[in-house]
């Protein structure tokens, strides 16, 4: 039977346990299912997080709480609960041991703001805590529970899930010292929707002072799936699809509070408009995501301005920042092919290339201008060939750029004007690439979206019995060192650390650089996918000229 330990928090004592990691053969302490806010159920559905009720008896925190209501990211079964605002703390030491406090990583999970969790299934702490970093993983409300936006004062102003994250950060500030962590050395980190969340926290006044450095993997606020200005319309379409046709926000919110949580999740895609379903769902497939809130209501807004405006004006966190993308992010779309007629799905992808014209270009659908851009896409990416197995890589370069890389490129140009972020491109292919292994597509070169996660965390989906001389394990060791060095020092390759054999050069306004994480670590000069980024710069520049003429 494992050793147990009780720690005081500001809400009450919690019982954790000691764990010996099977993969690192080292010990750490685990505290799971700690509440950081009141269950957002009943009348609290669609409200900002409320303070959790304190307790006096020791609370058993030796197992994880429910995930937030969702369809599972991979198994696609409906699971979870609305009572989900819990976090997990994993630490190699406690404050009671009388040693210096350790730096902290607070991890925000991905999943398109619709699925995912902070569970050890996808975010096992073993490798991070071995490097003497305290790891905190969190759940936050998803889908309409976390991001319903009515666009007026009162409840459901939007961004409840991001406000949940802020509540978790505040819990960390109040309590992490009792778990051996240093509240002055907190790095917020996340991938995909978690990375976009981190990026938004860097802009939100609500998050100011709650962290000292930030990591965004494969997700920024300027990605098309990460932000919407159509939140109000989607909320009313959801209500109408469930039988409440109204233009009254109070009436709508009362109705939606009466609908069982499972029925809301099942109906979520009905919130899309006909145009959304026809054009935008490839690169913006999630109906309820972060949005702009009104700033004159009774609820404190998380964000009341467009992230692009905030970035352009340099009004964001300028401390240590590490961010990057994977080199074949768009391979994620292969998930749509699994279990279906592959040739037929590829033909559908080819027929829908016109749907990939970005909505923010404001090009009329079906217009001559749209057809011109589609022709440019086919020429530049596809070499004017129809989509087939032979040129899937070209298609995935296109979807990678639209969904992830160009938004990242635009955001980092703003960051580099005001700070010196550490930028990377992950392109390694090995036994621990998460999504690529799930998809079983080893013949397509490149690292898929989320593939880097297997090189940072222990994951149930990945093999745990790799031979000791596996190159994937060597890459994992390097990745873990880079990330935990950044958490500790604000620099992934500090001068006093020589074992990585490289000094990661931060990007600057007059010298763009990034680290290529492949079989070897290499400093590269210029922008990631530079030629493709120039192509999109040209398209947006020409579109701006056209708008100015009109």
């Amino acid at each position: 039977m494992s050793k147990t330990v009780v720690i005081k928090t500001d809400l009450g004592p919690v019982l954790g346990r000691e764990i010996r990691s099977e993969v690192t053969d080292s010990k750490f302490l685990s505290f799971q299912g700690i509440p950081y806010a009141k269950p957002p159920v009943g009348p609290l559905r669609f409200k900002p997080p409320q303070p959790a009720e304190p307790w006096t008896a020791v609370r058993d925190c030796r197992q994880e709480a429910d995930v937030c209501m969702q369809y599972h990211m991979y198994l696609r079964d409906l699971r979870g609960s609305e009572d989900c605002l819990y976090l997990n703390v994993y630490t190699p030491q406690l404050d009671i041991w009388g040693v210096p406090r350790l730096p902290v990583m607070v991890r925000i999970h991905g999943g398109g703001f619709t699925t995912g969790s902070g569970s050890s299934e996808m975010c096992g702490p073993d490798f991070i805590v071995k490097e003497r970093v305290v790891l905190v993983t969190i759940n936050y409300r998803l889908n309409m529970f976390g991001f319903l936006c009515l666009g007026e004062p009162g409840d459901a102003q939007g961004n409840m899930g991001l406000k949940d994250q802020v509540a978790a950060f505040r819990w960390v500030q109040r309590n992490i010292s009792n778990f051996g962590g240093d509240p002055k050395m907190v790095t917020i980190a996340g991938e995909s929707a978690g990375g976009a969340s981190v990026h938004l926290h860097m802009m939100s006044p609500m998050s100011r002072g709650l962290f000292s450095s930030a990591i965004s993997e494969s997700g920024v606020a300027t990605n098309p799936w990460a932000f919407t200005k159509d939140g109000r319309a989607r909320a009313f379409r959801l209500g109408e699809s469930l039988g409440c046709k109204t233009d009254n926000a109070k009436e709508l919110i009362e109705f939606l509070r009466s609908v069982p949580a499972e029925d809301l999740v099942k109906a979520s895609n009905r919130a899309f408009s006909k145009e959304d379903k026809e054009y935008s769902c490839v690169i913006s497939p999630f109906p309820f995501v972060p949005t702009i809130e009104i700033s004159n209501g009774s609820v404190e807004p998380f964000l009341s301005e467009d992230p692009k405006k905030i970035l352009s004006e340099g009004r964001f966190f300028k401390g240590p920042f590490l961010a990057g993308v994977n080199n074949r992010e768009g391979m994620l779309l292969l998930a749509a092919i699994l279990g279906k007629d592959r040739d037929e799905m590829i033909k559908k992808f080819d027929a829908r290339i016109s749907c990939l014209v970005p909505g923010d270009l404001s090009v009329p659908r079906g217009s001559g201008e749209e057809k011109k851009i589609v022709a440019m896409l086919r020429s530049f990416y596809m070499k004017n060939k129809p989509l087939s197995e032979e040129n899937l890589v070209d298609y995935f370069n296109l979807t990678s750029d639209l969904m992830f890389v160009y938004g990242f490129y635009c955001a980092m140009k703003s960051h580099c004007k005001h700070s010196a972020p550490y930028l990377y491109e992950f392109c390694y292919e090995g036994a621990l690439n998460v999504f690529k292994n799930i998809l079983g597509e080893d013949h397509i070169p490149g690292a898929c979206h989320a593939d880097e996660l297997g090189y940072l965390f222990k994951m149930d989906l990945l093999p745990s019995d790799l031979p000791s001389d596996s190159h994937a394990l060597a890459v994992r060791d390097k990745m873990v060192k880079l990330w935990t060095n950044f958490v500790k020092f604000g620099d992934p390759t500090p001068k006093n650390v020589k074992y990585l054999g490289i000094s990661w050069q931060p990007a600057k306004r007059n010298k763009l650089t990034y680290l290529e994480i492949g079989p070897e670590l290499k400093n590269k000069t210029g922008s990631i996918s530079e030629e493709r980024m120039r192509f999109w710069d040209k398209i947006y520049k020409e579109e701006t000229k056209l708008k100015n003429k009109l």
Side-chain angles (χ1 to χ4, degrees):
M1 191 171 181
S2 61
K3 174 183 173 183
T4 60
V5 62
V6 175
I7 292 296
K8 291 181 180 179
T9 74
D10 64 338
L11 294 171
V14 295
L15 175 71
R17 60 190 172 119
E18 183 181 74
I19 292 177
R20 176 175 286 279
S21 169
E22 296 177 357
V23 291
T24 65
D25 196 33
S26 58
K27 294 179 181 179
F28 61 89
L29 296 167
S30 166
F31 300 83
Q32 298 175 309
I34 303 174
Y36 67 83
K38 190 178 291 186
V41 299
L44 296 184
R45 182 189 279 182
F46 308 130
K47 283 183 178 286
Q50 304 296 308
E53 297 288 347
W55 60 89
T56 53
V58 174
R59 185 183 183 102
D60 192 339
C61 290
R62 289 178 293 176
Q63 65 180 33
E64 290 170 320
D66 280 345
V67 301
C68 295
M69 180 67 67
Q70 62 183 272
Y71 281 104
H72 188 273
M73 189 179 300
Y74 302 112
L75 303 177
R76 302 309 301 160
D77 60 322
L78 188 62
R79 60 176 62 187
S81 165
E82 285 188 86
D83 180 5
C84 64
L85 300 186
Y86 299 87
L87 54 77
N88 310 310
V89 180
Y90 306 100
T91 179
Q93 71 174 38
L94 295 175
D95 185 55
I96 56 175
W97 293 348
V99 291
R101 291 172 181 164
L102 300 176
V104 182
M105 177 192 287
V106 180
R107 190 76 188 181
I108 307 171
H109 70 78
F113 302 103
T114 302
T115 184
S117 75
S119 72
S120 57
E121 171 191 39
M122 292 291 289
C123 200
D126 306 49
F127 311 120
I128 301 297
V129 295
K130 187 183 179 184
E131 295 300 319
R132 298 195 61 73
V133 168
V134 178
L135 178 66
V136 180
T137 65
I138 65 176
N139 292 344
Y140 56 94
R141 278 174 288 178
L142 303 169
N143 212 324
M144 72 290 295
F145 304 108
F147 298 95
L148 190 81
C149 176
L150 297 182
E152 56 184 76
D155 299 338
Q157 280 190 197
N159 301 330
M160 289 81 70
L162 292 165
K163 293 171 186 175
D164 293 342
Q165 295 171 16
V166 170
F169 299 168
R170 289 172 176 166
W171 183 95
V172 168
Q173 288 298 310
R174 298 193 309 270
N175 292 284
I176 205 64
S177 60
N178 293 342
F179 295 84
D182 186 345
K184 295 179 181 178
M185 294 184 65
V186 173
T187 300
I188 57 173
E191 181 269 343
S192 194
S197 295
V198 166
H199 200 213
L200 288 164
H201 286 296
M202 295 173 73
M203 305 178 208
S204 172
M206 189 179 280
S207 309
R208 199 166 293 145
L210 297 178
F211 59 93
S212 55
S213 57
I215 300 174
S216 290
E217 301 159 31
S218 300
V220 290
T222 44
N223 290 142
W225 48 264
F227 205 81
T228 184
K229 295 181 181 179
D230 195 34
R232 179 180 171 86
R234 291 179 181 179
F236 280 89
R237 280 194 293 267
L238 176 68
E240 183 174 351
S241 76
L242 290 164
C244 179
K245 187 173 183 178
T246 179
D247 59 2
N248 183 290
K250 186 175 180 181
E251 185 178 328
L252 175 65
I253 203 76
E254 288 176 356
F255 169 78
L256 291 176
R257 282 204 177 105
S258 72
V259 178
E262 296 88 345
D263 293 344
L264 286 175
V265 175
K266 290 175 182 177
S268 61
N269 280 347
R270 298 181 207 162
F272 279 130
S273 67
K274 184 179 179 181
E275 184 177 9
D276 285 335
K277 292 175 183 176
E278 189 171 352
Y279 291 105
S280 304
C281 61
V282 178
I283 59 175
S284 302
F286 313 115
F288 295 102
V289 297
T291 189
I292 298 170
E293 295 171 67
I294 57 172
S295 58
N296 61 346
S298 58
V299 176
E300 180 186 3
F302 176 84
L303 202 73
S304 56
E305 295 180 85
D306 190 322
K308 291 181 180 179
K309 182 175 186 290
I310 296 173
L311 285 168
S312 68
E313 296 176 0
R315 292 183 288 115
F316 49 78
F317 171 78
K318 297 180 179 67
F321 184 34
L322 188 156
V325 290
N326 297 351
N327 74 325
R328 205 78 71 217
E329 299 271 8
M331 202 188 304
L332 177 73
L333 294 181
L334 275 175
I337 294 177
L338 293 179
K340 298 177 181 178
D341 184 315
R342 190 177 180 98
D343 290 339
E344 189 62 31
M345 288 301 296
I346 289 175
K347 287 179 183 177
K348 285 184 178 180
F349 281 164
D350 185 68
R352 298 191 68 188
I353 285 182
S354 62
C355 301
L356 300 180
V357 175
D360 62 352
L361 284 174
S362 302
V363 177
R365 296 299 181 182
S367 67
E369 191 177 1
E370 182 191 65
K371 291 174 183 176
K372 177 185 173 184
I373 293 175
V374 171
M376 292 172 69
L377 298 181
R378 285 192 175 278
S379 174
F380 182 80
Y381 285 94
M382 317 295 295
K383 309 299 185 287
N384 288 321
K385 296 177 182 178
L387 183 60
S388 66
E389 285 283 358
E390 285 66 43
N391 62 358
L392 271 175
V393 168
D394 299 322
Y395 180 75
F396 293 140
N397 285 340
L398 170 58
T399 54
S400 295
D401 293 345
L402 287 168
M403 296 177 74
F404 299 98
V405 185
Y406 190 66
F408 170 81
Y409 162 78
C410 292
M412 293 311 115
K413 283 197 294 185
S414 292
H415 281 276
C416 290
K417 289 178 182 177
H418 302 278
S419 59
Y422 292 94
L423 307 182
Y424 73 87
E425 181 183 42
F426 181 83
C427 55
Y428 183 71
E429 301 173 63
L432 299 177
N433 287 51
V434 181
F435 227 107
K436 196 162 185 179
N437 278 288
I438 293 170
L439 294 170
E441 298 285 348
D442 288 344
H443 63 289
I444 299 177
C448 182
H449 186 64
D451 270 356
E452 86 285 358
L453 294 177
Y455 299 88
L456 293 170
F457 302 100
K458 179 178 178 291
M459 303 179 97
D460 291 353
L461 296 164
L462 296 175
S464 58
D465 56 351
L466 295 178
S468 59
D469 61 350
S470 168
H471 193 261
L473 296 183
V475 173
R476 185 183 68 195
D477 289 345
K478 289 180 181 178
M479 284 276 289
V480 170
K481 289 286 188 184
L482 290 168
W483 262 238
T484 54
N485 280 346
F486 180 79
V487 173
K488 295 174 186 178
F489 309 112
D491 182 341
T493 53
K495 291 180 181 178
N496 61 332
V497 175
K498 305 296 183 185
Y499 48 77
L500 286 166
I502 195 168
S503 177
W504 186 341
Q505 300 300 308
K508 298 177 182 177
R509 183 173 189 170
N510 58 353
K511 187 180 180 183
L512 291 177
T513 58
Y514 65 95
L515 186 73
E516 180 184 272
I517 303 176
E520 305 295 333
L521 302 178
K522 298 178 182 178
N523 278 309
K524 295 281 188 173
T525 302
S527 301
I528 295 168
S529 303
E530 191 158 17
E531 183 183 358
R532 290 166 16 210
M533 297 303 99
R534 284 200 298 265
F535 169 81
W536 282 106
D537 275 344
K538 179 182 177 183
I539 285 183
Y540 275 88
K541 189 175 182 180
E542 289 181 358
E543 178 61 20
T544 301
K545 286 181 181 177
L546 179 64
K547 286 178 183 176
N548 291 338
K549 286 181 182 178
L550 297 175

